Amino acid sequence: MSNELYIYNSLTREKQLFNPLNPPFVGMYVCGPTVYNEVHLGNLRTFISFDLIYRWLTVLGYKVRYVRNITDVGHLENDADEGEDKISQRARLEQLEPMEIVQKYTNRFHEVLNVFRCIPPSIEPTATGHLIEQIDLIRIILSKGFAYEVNGSVYFDVKKYAEYYNYGVLSGRNIEELLSGTRDLDGQEEKRNPLDFALWKKAGATHIMRWPSPWGEGFPGWHLECSAMSTKYLGTTFDIHGGGMDLKFPHHECEIAQHCAAHENAPVNYWIHGNMLTLNGKKMSKSDGNFVLPFDLTNGTPPLVDKPYSPLSVRFFMLQAHYGSTLDLSMEALSASDKAFRRLQQAIKDVATISPGATASDFDAQEWANNCKSAMNDDFNSPILIAHLFDAVKIVNACKDKKRSLDALQLTILKDNLNLYFYQVLGLDNPESASSQTELLDGVMNLILDLRKAAREQKDWNTSDKIRNTLQSLDIVIKDGKDGSTWQINN
RNA sequence: GGUCCUGUGGCCGAGUGGCUAGGCAGAGGUCUGCAAAACCUUUUACAGCGGUUCGAAUCCGCUCGGGACCUCCA
């Protein structure tokens, strides 16, 4: 078994042994959402992927500082010089103040992530809260000669930068091809070169979100905030930078360029990119309208969603694929995962009730646990981990049926690791989620099951079926087994 | 058009040279007042063609299909 963590680094395009700069500390920056509307399921997938990564690093004993930004500056609809920004546009549509839009969708974002069991980051900085840092960064870049000011806007000089550094290291592009392949977009007259990107944009007369700067009133460029904030909280070089695959170019490439221009070193050792969630074989996308909202799945919103799915089933569905592969959403795939998840969940409950047997069976619990660990250490391979967990499900069920027994040591290893991986690593539930409400329900259900049992012993099928059918209509399913009946809420 | 990724059984999805993941569905069985559930067992695969090799889903080439990025996007 390997005790070492290997990570697929997008920068080098290979799996590499993870060596943090200052162990046991790890710095991880993940690009967060632009809060001008609801996060969709594809956005959520990325945050769940990095939640898994964060959890595993923590389980390995690292002290992770996890920084994830909120983009609350109104960036323009496109790269043109004029135009309305997204947040202002939304504010106009909803008849709210721009900062109300930002607050509203930030709150919604937190709500969604909480429901889908993502652990909050250590620091969640906002772009508007770091204007000073961003302006400072622009100053440095200007002073080193890698940017130029035109009419109250500042642009990054990509061509100049490429004379000293390798523009395109991350995305594997070369600047000549980019130069020859660029399209002429309207409203980019100020740029010396189409590849140049804005560090600071002058605010037009009607632009609402604006801040003073040495170059006049305006707002920062999109790529800038991540550079400024990651440096502020994680240093000029840090361990992990993550985000969706679609941010690789130009966003992350520009981040690297800004950072190298300002600090003369590479900002990040390990770049991790989560792959896209697709719908109908196409990437989910806000702007294309090809998306599903997280709560559409939990509510069972027609016509796309056939029935309500629990957030944990959705999370499990995503974890059954590797974060680096595309995953296609379909109701067939989701309901398959839903069933699988329930089976796993039941085994997690059942393992607590198993008592050790006198004789050990041939199950090598330690080897099994090692396999689980190796799976996660191999670039956070949650699908392999889940396959191992289902091996354990078989063992648990065999023990439950008294067809097999484990000795005390085997059982302890099995139990501890099942709980570790299910709760802490995959984040599939809160172990302490039993509330006074559920205790109350447990008590009531035990009484009802007792009454039904008595009726069945009297062969009073009318009563026993009435209980079963009525509960069924409340989405409580009675399961008659060999050793009595159990119940489960179907949601 | 350029750059890159990908094509696995009915469906989803791992696997990068030999040891045929896993889940769902299907089939058979156990249990059972009936039903459901649960549990056990189990069939089916590597897009096509050619090459390298003792041996290829895995490496190489070509063909065909799907996708991402090149413009805001996780």
Side-chain angles (χ1 to χ4, degrees):
Chain A
M1 177 196 60
S2 170
N3 243 326
E4 298 168 319
L5 172 64
Y6 282 81
I7 297 180
Y8 180 83
N9 189 349
S10 303
L11 190 63
T12 57
R13 294 179 192 82
E14 58 185 20
K15 273 187 206 171
Q16 289 179 319
L17 179 63
F18 180 57
N19 273 321
L21 285 164
N22 303 301
F25 301 101
V26 169
M28 176 162 92
Y29 188 94
V30 174
C31 289
T34 303
V35 282
Y36 72 103
N37 63 9
E38 302 273 351
V39 287
H40 60 63
L41 203 66
N43 303 126
L44 179 62
R45 184 189 180 201
T46 297
F47 299 122
I48 288 178
S49 295
F50 286 100
D51 186 57
L52 175 79
I53 288 169
Y54 176 52
R55 285 166 179 271
W56 184 243
L57 289 169
T58 306
V59 165
L60 288 180
Y62 291 115
K63 310 286 177 214
V64 185
R65 180 178 289 171
Y66 175 19
V67 181
R68 189 182 61 209
N69 65 296
I70 294 281
T71 298
D72 57 350
V73 169
H75 294 297
L76 298 181
E77 283 291 312
N78 55 47
D79 213 15
D81 288 338
E82 295 298 327
E84 194 174 19
D85 78 64
K86 290 176 185 170
I87 291 173
S88 296
Q89 188 178 50
R90 193 72 186 194
R92 191 165 49 75
L93 285 171
E94 297 194 23
Q95 299 195 319
L96 295 170
E97 193 59 32
M99 274 302 169
E100 277 183 286
I101 291 295
V102 162
Q103 190 66 56
K104 175 180 172 179
Y105 291 110
T106 301
N107 291 345
R108 288 287 282 173
F109 173 62
H110 288 152
E111 191 187 336
V112 168
L113 262 56
N114 186 44
V115 165
F116 287 86
R117 303 290 198 276
C118 292
I119 297 174
S122 329
I123 301 176
E124 194 169 49
T126 60
T128 55
H130 296 76
L131 264 302
I132 291 170
E133 288 82 353
Q134 295 181 68
I135 289 170
D136 276 349
L137 182 56
I138 297 172
R139 273 209 191 96
I140 298 172
I141 298 171
L142 272 170
S143 73
K144 303 222 171 166
F146 290 109
Y148 54 92
E149 185 194 348
V150 182
N151 187 28
S153 292
V154 182
Y155 295 96
F156 189 88
D157 190 339
V158 172
K159 218 169 172 179
K160 174 83 180 292
Y161 173 81
E163 290 169 18
Y164 298 85
Y165 300 93
N166 182 4
Y167 184 80
V169 263
L170 179 66
S171 56
R173 282 152 221 255
N174 76 60
I175 191 157
E176 283 77 20
E177 279 170 3
L178 285 169
L179 284 170
S180 64
T182 46
R183 286 177 265 172
D184 284 327
L185 295 172
D186 290 337
Q188 297 199 9
E189 293 80 17
E190 291 179 348
K191 291 185 188 179
R192 290 182 190 165
N193 192 298
L195 291 182
D196 293 353
F197 53 91
L199 298 174
W200 188 264
K201 286 289 274 188
K202 179 184 182 172
T206 56
H207 204 96
I208 305 172
M209 302 186 87
R210 56 202 298 150
W211 292 267
S213 80
W215 314 283
E217 288 210 341
F219 54 96
W222 174 44
H223 312 302
L224 197 65
E225 55 179 284
C226 292
S227 290
M229 299 191 294
S230 62
T231 303
K232 172 160 183 171
Y233 297 112
L234 299 173
T236 51
T237 304
F238 57 95
D239 298 301
I240 297 173
H241 189 131
M245 202 74 97
D246 51 353
L247 296 184
K248 209 175 190 179
F249 190 90
H251 183 58
H252 290 155
E253 200 68 72
C254 295
E255 263 188 74
I256 291 174
Q258 289 166 347
H259 188 97
C260 290
H263 301 291
E264 298 174 22
N265 66 6
V268 176
N269 286 340
Y270 301 86
W271 284 88
I272 303 179
H273 287 97
N275 216 325
M276 298 293 104
L277 180 69
T278 60
L279 179 64
N280 305 315
K282 294 261 197 304
K283 172 189 167 185
M284 275 203 194
S285 162
K286 286 181 196 173
S287 47
D288 294 351
N290 184 46
F291 64 88
V292 175
L293 297 179
F295 289 144
D296 287 345
L297 293 182
T298 55
N299 294 333
T301 308
L304 240 50
V305 186
D306 55 352
K307 61 169 192 189
Y309 291 89
S310 99
L312 294 175
S313 291
V314 175
R315 189 176 161 103
F316 182 78
F317 163 72
M318 293 183 177
L319 294 172
Q320 270 193 307
H322 188 256
Y323 76 85
S325 305
T326 55
L327 171 65
D328 193 62
L329 176 73
S330 66
M331 287 311 113
E332 293 75 21
L334 186 57
S335 70
S337 290
D338 182 54
K339 285 200 172 180
F341 173 64
R342 285 163 191 274
R343 195 153 85 89
L344 177 60
Q345 197 176 33
Q346 189 59 48
I348 298 292
K349 284 182 193 156
D350 289 341
V351 75
T353 66
I354 296 172
S355 342
T359 54
S361 78
D362 57 352
F363 175 63
D364 188 335
Q366 192 56 56
E367 190 190 1
W368 169 79
N370 292 347
N371 288 340
C372 291
K373 189 172 187 183
S374 298
M376 285 306 291
N377 271 339
D378 184 12
D379 196 27
F380 314 99
N381 200 324
S382 54
I384 296 286
L385 169 64
I386 288 170
H388 292 316
L389 295 186
F390 275 101
D391 291 339
V393 169
K394 280 202 168 68
I395 302 285
V396 169
N397 288 332
C399 290
K400 210 177 97 187
D401 293 347
K402 310 269 192 273
K403 286 175 182 159
R404 199 160 184 171
S405 73
L406 299 177
D407 65 26
L409 179 63
Q410 287 177 319
L411 187 59
T412 302
I413 294 172
L414 180 70
K415 211 184 276 187
D416 288 354
N417 281 282
L418 268 180
N419 285 318
L420 171 73
Y421 286 104
F422 186 80
Y423 291 115
Q424 276 175 258
V425 176
L426 297 176
L428 288 171
D429 209 345
N430 300 322
E432 68 287 349
S433 65
S435 65
S436 58
Q437 281 293 318
T438 63
E439 279 171 32
L440 181 67
L441 186 59
D442 273 345
V444 173
M445 283 307 299
N446 285 342
L447 172 66
I448 292 174
L449 288 183
D450 274 353
L451 292 173
R452 180 162 173 274
K453 188 181 171 199
R456 294 180 76 205
E457 280 163 0
Q458 307 279 321
K459 298 199 189 297
D460 178 2
W461 310 129
N462 279 340
T463 304
S464 74
D465 287 355
K466 184 180 178 187
I467 291 171
R468 185 172 70 195
N469 294 338
T470 307
L471 288 173
Q472 177 109 49
S473 69
L474 297 170
D475 284 332
I476 297 175
V477 181
I478 299 287
K479 301 172 181 179
D480 294 330
K482 216 176 196 172
D483 308 317
S485 305
T486 57
W487 62 279
Q488 183 181 314
I489 298 175
N490 256 345
N491 54 10

